[in-house]
Amino acid sequence: MPAESSRMELRADARHNRERILQAAGDLIAARGLDVPMAAIARRAGVGVATLYRRFPTREALMVELFRDRLGVCLAGVDAALADPDPWRGFRTYIENLCAMNAVDRGLAAAFLTEFPGAVDFERERARAEQGFAELVRRAKAAGQLRAEFDRSDLSLILMATDGITAASAETAVAAARRLAGLMLRSFHTGPAAPLPPPAPLALYHLSVPD
């Protein structure tokens, strides 16, 4: 019985470490992007680097597991947009929400755009998200609401643009992302321009010329 209890404690400890590593990796990538060192993730999780690599033998293994939930968010957004009977509203709402989420979680764009050829299930879900977005584009164009020049690969540009937003708070970052999404959607839409979200309270940075 003591031996069985010890094994159960070890399994519980391993699960706890795994959860802490994923939480730490998610927090750091959301704040700093994909270039966070594995050692920094281990420190944030309060585990040794060796423990991290026992749970996740490669960086790709960690990223795949971390991105699963984020990819699920992308898929849920696509499905909700496709369920909207108004093609332009579905497309617009998806872009607005994706930009807002991406502004506060730098891992979201990576989950949508990064390929992991060795992770078959993940790649299957990512392909489904891409196909869903392609259908959103097709429907909006067929309804005459989305410019013919828009290409589904432009989603990468949209995500890259919102990924660069820097703000003092998550609320300000979301406000800035919604404003930016509104400006971009105006250029995509064939119909009358919709009112823009209010400007975000971003600080203006002025470059000084050195003497």
Side-chain angles (χ1 to χ4, degrees):
M1 189 68 176
E4 179 63 23
S5 177
S6 178
R7 284 194 294 271
M8 290 177 64
E9 288 176 5
L10 285 172
R11 287 196 294 269
D13 187 56
R15 285 196 300 271
H16 184 54
N17 284 341
R18 184 177 184 279
E19 291 166 2
R20 286 163 62 187
I21 290 167
L22 287 171
Q23 182 64 50
D27 292 344
L28 288 173
I29 289 173
R32 294 163 51 180
L34 291 179
D35 296 331
V36 177
M38 295 288 271
I41 294 172
R43 283 196 303 272
R44 178 69 171 260
V47 302
V49 174
T51 297
L52 188 155
Y53 279 108
R54 276 198 300 274
R55 302 278 76 80
F56 301 98
T58 66
R59 186 181 184 87
E60 178 174 312
L62 174 59
M63 294 300 109
V64 167
E65 194 60 32
L66 183 63
F67 289 167
R68 285 190 193 280
D69 288 344
R70 288 168 168 83
L71 185 59
V73 171
C74 294
L75 276 168
V78 168
D79 289 342
L82 288 172
D84 192 321
D86 184 319
W88 172 251
R89 186 174 60 202
F91 176 87
R92 185 196 69 216
T93 302
Y94 180 70
I95 295 295
E96 290 171 343
N97 291 341
L98 194 65
C99 285
M101 290 186 293
N102 190 47
V104 293
D105 184 352
R106 297 181 188 277
L108 189 69
F112 199 101
L113 302 174
T114 305
E115 293 185 349
F116 297 103
V120 177
D121 291 344
F122 183 90
E123 284 300 299
R124 185 183 299 116
E125 291 298 280
R126 194 174 67 81
R128 189 163 77 83
E130 289 182 347
Q131 291 162 5
F133 181 70
E135 178 60 13
L136 284 177
V137 171
R138 188 201 65 76
R139 291 196 326 161
K141 285 183 178 181
Q145 296 291 305
L146 179 63
R147 291 185 179 279
E149 300 92 337
F150 185 88
D151 188 85
R152 64 179 184 174
S153 65
D154 291 331
L155 182 62
S156 298
L157 297 177
I158 296 169
L159 291 173
M160 289 166 66
T162 52
D163 201 42
I165 291 174
T166 301
S169 69
E171 291 77 12
T172 301
V174 168
R178 292 197 178 280
R179 175 79 172 184
L180 180 58
L183 290 166
M184 290 189 289
L185 285 164
R186 278 191 170 193
S187 72
F188 305 153
H189 195 201
T190 59
L196 286 172
L202 295 172
L204 291 176
Y205 294 93
H206 300 278
L207 297 178
S208 59
V209 179
D211 295 333

